[in-house]
Amino acid sequence: MPDDKFNDQLFRQYAAGRMSRRRFMETLAAAGVSAGAINALIAGRAQAATPKYGGRLVVGIEAAQAQDSLDPTKYFSTANIQMGYAAHDNLVNRDANLQPMPWLATSWEPNADASAWIFNLRKGVTFHDGSDFGADDVIYSMHRHYREGTETPSKSYMGQISEIVKLDGHQVRFDLKAPNADFPMILSDTRVQVTKRGLEDFTGTPPGTGPFKAVEFTPGSRYVFERNENYWGDDGPFVDELEFVGIADNTARINALIAGDINVLLQLDQKATRLIDNSGIGYVINAPSGAFINLAMLVDREPTNNPDFRLAMKYGIDREGIRDNILKGLGSVGNDHPIAPIDPYYNSEIPQRTYDPDRARFHIRNAGLENTPIDIYGSDVAGTGALASAQHVQHSAGAAGINLNVIHPPADSFWSAVWIQKPIVTSGWDPRPVPDLIFSIAFSRTSSWNETLWNNDRFEQLLVEARSVTDFAKRKEMYGEMQLLLHDEGGHITLGFRNFVDAARNEVKGITAHGSGPLGFYQMQRTAWIDA
């Protein structure tokens, strides 16, 4: 007779759709379980799958940082976005097929050329302080993303809005500077969340419409939330209290999960997936995606302003080794632009750049930098596996005469003191549902988050023109040219596209993998519950 651990592991595979009912029953029958006991097991697990209210959920995150904020215009890290989704909601969400779905907006309709969009807003929604949600909140909070002087990275794509017009208390019209058939997806971005009209000071416990109210939010230290009893949704929240705990070291974070100090782990080290699967205490949440880890080389300073040096680096990287040894096969190789092979806009005609030490040595000699010590900054704050990838690059590039010195900076100062400060750093980005979003935020000269300081006139022209093109083939051609420009001339090196890999203890239920972001597209805190 199999034990409960065996039954739990099988049932999780069956419930997740990775095992058919027939195979599930045959496996248990072969292990000596009677048909009656199997049916009782299924019924019992199904009953246990009914959400329960109560309990406390503790989430282990990669770092608690001084710049953490509940102001959506100031989110920096993956963990900060995760916390933001506890307090705030978007107008538009994304479903399991990565398509726009109603959220604070119940529906939307474009005009004939998609240059204007009318959004109907949900009624009966209140902020945590009891005030009503409506059109004025939408206009105010969206304007914060594109107004004069704003430093939010979302300005690069929200800047396409020319005006937001209030039609009534729960209806607004977005007038765009040019047509955009994908505009609803823009409003599903992780930073474009609705906040209360007039709110500028987000210190302390600012009100939102989200599933949890902030009780304590001390950047770099402590983050505690309580359930919003008046939340408008019908799929949670279920737990009474939510806390995020910063644990910078990967091993320490995993040990905290195993010990029960945390219930959920954001961004599991890919090397530890088998450990969690075999531990009996928890399970891995694995979602294929277009997220990636990369090297960002600033094109405006030495040595990375030298095209030969950039090409030497691009040919000096063993990408297959990163996929197999660092990502443990949970991802795919990149080709020095941000569009993943699974994306319908992916340009498959660009030859895949492969590890070529001889070509790398040719270019590093042309740059006059053969065997010259050069610093590279690596941190898993940028994405799990980024530091190990930097060390892997150090080894593979060394065979080509590229002498890299890997520096591991403190996790709590990576974004403020290293990123877009040092010539070569590891970075990482979540996938975007349309190329316009990632091109705008990470590569446009209008973006404060242009991490390589890339500045190309043709790229900027295509970025704007593609938004108004509704023909898929033509749009794909334009996005394909932008990928080629980055591949040939840019300072971006895609180290690998990675699955979203997180983990939770067995008592945590209700987390569904999502290709747009970790832990259910950052929203597991709404749907998760404790089966105590």
Side-chain angles (χ1 to χ4, degrees):
M1 179 73 66
D3 58 21
D4 287 341
K5 175 182 173 181
F6 177 78
N7 293 345
D8 284 339
Q9 290 174 336
L10 282 178
F11 189 81
R12 286 202 301 271
Q13 294 181 54
Y14 165 63
R18 296 192 295 270
M19 176 183 289
S20 68
R21 180 184 176 92
R22 178 178 178 181
R23 184 182 173 195
F24 173 69
M25 298 186 73
E26 287 177 345
T27 302
L28 285 176
V33 183
S34 68
I38 293 174
N39 289 329
L41 174 67
I42 293 175
R45 293 299 194 279
Q47 184 176 7
T50 302
K52 299 177 182 179
Y53 285 89
R56 185 170 184 269
L57 191 68
V58 183
V59 184
I61 59 177
E62 72 272 19
Q65 304 191 64
Q67 66 264 49
D68 288 333
S69 175
L70 287 178
D71 180 349
T73 70
K74 296 181 179 178
Y75 295 162
F76 261 84
S77 66
T78 298
N80 196 175
I81 295 172
Q82 189 79 43
M83 291 184 277
Y85 269 97
H88 303 301
D89 290 314
N90 285 66
L91 283 176
V92 180
N93 209 337
R94 298 180 205 162
D95 64 20
N97 296 315
L98 310 188
Q99 296 301 306
M101 64 182 290
W103 211 243
L104 285 181
T106 56
S107 62
W108 46 84
E109 188 72 30
N111 64 355
D113 69 349
S115 63
W117 290 78
I118 292 177
F119 280 74
N120 298 302
L121 308 179
R122 192 173 298 277
K123 298 179 180 179
V125 177
T126 59
F127 286 92
H128 298 153
D129 62 1
S131 59
D132 292 330
F133 157 78
D136 291 329
D137 304 295
V138 172
I139 293 171
Y140 178 80
S141 53
M142 296 299 105
H143 185 242
R144 294 184 72 237
H145 288 276
Y146 66 92
R147 65 188 179 186
E148 187 74 25
T150 184
E151 296 181 358
T152 175
S154 49
K155 183 178 183 179
S156 57
Y157 45 86
M158 292 294 282
Q160 65 187 277
I161 300 171
S162 62
E163 186 181 14
I164 310 176
V165 179
K166 179 180 178 179
L167 302 181
D168 66 32
H170 286 85
Q171 189 180 66
V172 297
R173 186 185 72 237
F174 289 83
D175 293 332
L176 309 183
K177 296 176 181 177
N180 189 340
D182 287 328
F183 184 68
M185 291 303 290
I186 300 294
L187 299 185
S188 74
D189 188 68
T190 52
R191 290 170 178 81
V192 188
Q193 294 177 330
V194 176
T195 55
K196 185 179 176 179
R197 58 191 175 278
L199 184 61
E200 289 290 343
D201 183 2
F202 286 81
T203 59
T205 57
T209 64
F212 285 87
K213 306 175 184 179
V215 173
E216 183 176 352
F217 195 91
T218 306
S221 179
R222 184 169 166 80
Y223 314 101
V224 181
F225 300 77
E226 67 178 14
R227 182 172 67 226
N228 177 11
E229 299 285 359
N230 297 316
Y231 188 62
W232 58 268
D234 58 5
D235 62 345
F238 300 106
V239 300
D240 292 331
E241 191 173 73
L242 173 71
E243 182 175 4
F244 295 89
V245 178
I247 308 173
D249 181 76
N250 279 326
T251 301
R253 202 155 63 244
I254 293 166
N255 288 339
L257 184 75
I258 294 173
D261 296 329
I262 62 175
N263 307 95
V264 177
L265 189 157
L266 173 65
Q267 296 199 111
L268 176 69
D269 188 332
Q270 292 87 347
K271 298 189 294 296
T273 54
R274 183 172 296 180
L275 171 65
I276 298 300
D277 279 333
N278 294 336
S279 69
I281 62 91
Y283 56 95
V284 173
I285 305 154
N286 177 26
S289 80
F292 58 86
I293 52 176
N294 64 285
L295 288 183
M297 301 184 293
L298 296 175
V299 298
D300 73 330
R301 67 199 65 179
E302 296 181 347
T304 47
N305 61 351
N306 187 312
D308 272 302
F309 177 80
R310 297 200 297 271
L311 284 173
M313 288 291 294
K314 291 176 180 180
Y315 285 112
I317 294 176
D318 176 14
R319 302 161 199 266
E320 288 77 10
I322 291 175
R323 177 197 59 198
D324 298 340
N325 300 318
I326 308 301
L327 301 180
K328 296 301 179 182
L330 301 173
S332 59
V333 298
N335 204 21
D336 301 335
H337 59 73
I339 309 304
I342 61 173
D343 194 298
Y345 287 105
Y346 178 73
N347 186 349
S348 60
E349 296 182 1
I350 301 175
Q352 175 63 53
R353 189 168 274 134
T354 58
Y355 182 43
D356 190 335
D358 291 335
R359 292 188 70 171
R361 187 177 294 275
F362 168 80
H363 287 291
I364 199 68
R365 283 175 175 170
N366 280 356
L369 293 169
E370 186 175 18
N371 296 319
T372 300
I374 295 168
D375 291 338
I376 176 175
Y377 291 76
S379 172
D380 280 347
V381 171
T384 304
L387 176 59
S389 294
Q391 294 163 340
H392 188 92
V393 169
Q394 179 187 40
H395 176 75
S396 65
I402 306 172
N403 183 5
L404 299 177
N405 173 41
V406 176
I407 297 174
H408 184 196
D412 59 1
S413 62
F414 177 82
W415 296 115
S416 59
V418 176
W419 187 61
I420 319 186
Q421 305 291 323
K422 305 299 183 181
I424 312 176
V425 305
T426 57
S427 186
W429 294 82
D430 287 346
R432 265 60 179 182
V434 290
D436 177 54
L437 281 172
I438 189 63
F439 284 147
S440 295
I441 194 171
F443 299 96
S444 174
R445 63 186 171 207
T446 66
S447 173
S448 60
W449 282 25
N450 177 358
E451 63 179 3
T452 62
L453 301 182
W454 167 252
N455 187 351
N456 182 282
D457 290 340
R458 177 59 177 164
F459 184 92
E460 297 294 330
Q461 177 188 356
L462 289 166
L463 180 64
V464 174
E465 291 179 355
R467 290 171 179 161
S468 60
V469 174
T470 56
D471 179 75
F472 174 80
K474 177 61 177 174
R475 206 176 203 190
K476 182 174 182 177
E477 179 183 340
M478 298 170 78
Y479 285 142
E481 183 180 346
M482 296 169 76
Q483 293 168 55
L484 182 62
L485 287 168
L486 288 170
H487 174 274
D488 289 349
E489 303 174 25
H492 169 94
I493 297 179
T494 314
L495 297 174
F497 291 95
R498 60 181 181 89
N499 295 3
F500 288 119
V501 184
D502 310 292
R505 290 181 60 85
N506 289 330
E507 68 268 16
V508 181
K509 313 295 183 184
I511 303 177
T512 303
H514 197 295
S516 277
L519 292 176
F521 188 29
Y522 300 102
Q523 295 169 62
M524 71 88 206
Q525 50 265 29
R526 186 186 74 250
T527 62
W529 50 279
I530 304 292
D531 186 19

